[in-house]
Amino acid sequence: MAKLKLDLHEIYNKGHLIDRALEEIIEEAVSRKIRLVEIIPGKGSGQLKKKVIRFLQQKHIKPYYHRMEKDSKNFGRLFVHFRF
């Protein structure tokens, strides 16, 4: 099963780059019909993870993916599942 991975550690404090990286990974998953995207906001204070979740819940982004889940074993990681 193919999967894409996005690690946000390098750009954690650059809001515009975070949004762009998230948009690009969603577009790539849709265009290549990838079923799983792993997003790593890191553990930290949780603010970056909240930003990623808010981004994924936007009205224009939500129709692209099937569901989003938080990793139960590693709270610094999110999975976005796509259905084609």
Side-chain angles (χ1 to χ4, degrees), residues 18-35:
I18 293 168
D19 290 346
R20 187 176 328 144
L22 290 168
E23 286 175 8
E24 288 173 1
I25 200 86
I26 297 293
E27 288 175 11
E28 184 177 354
V30 169
S31 68
R32 293 178 49 197
K33 296 192 184 311
I34 304 290
R35 295 191 176 274

Side-chain angles (χ1 to χ4, degrees), residues 50-81:
K50 288 178 187 176
K51 179 176 179 50
V52 171
I53 291 171
R54 281 194 306 269
F55 175 87
L56 291 171
Q57 291 176 342
Q58 293 180 75
K59 289 181 182 179
H60 70 282
I61 298 294
K62 201 163 187 159
Y64 289 113
Y65 67 93
H66 171 60
R67 68 185 172 96
M68 180 214 29
E69 71 175 311
K70 300 172 186 172
D71 188 352
S72 60
K73 296 176 185 160
N74 179 355
F75 63 88
R77 183 165 66 170
L78 298 168
F79 296 109
V80 182
H81 298 269

Side-chain angles (χ1 to χ4, degrees), residues 3-7 25 34 36-40 77:
K3 120 178 151 175
L4 294 175
K5 184 176 180 180
L6 175 63
D7 189 346
I25 200 86
I34 304 290
L36 180 65
V37 172
E38 177 183 347
I39 301 173
I40 304 172
R77 183 165 66 170

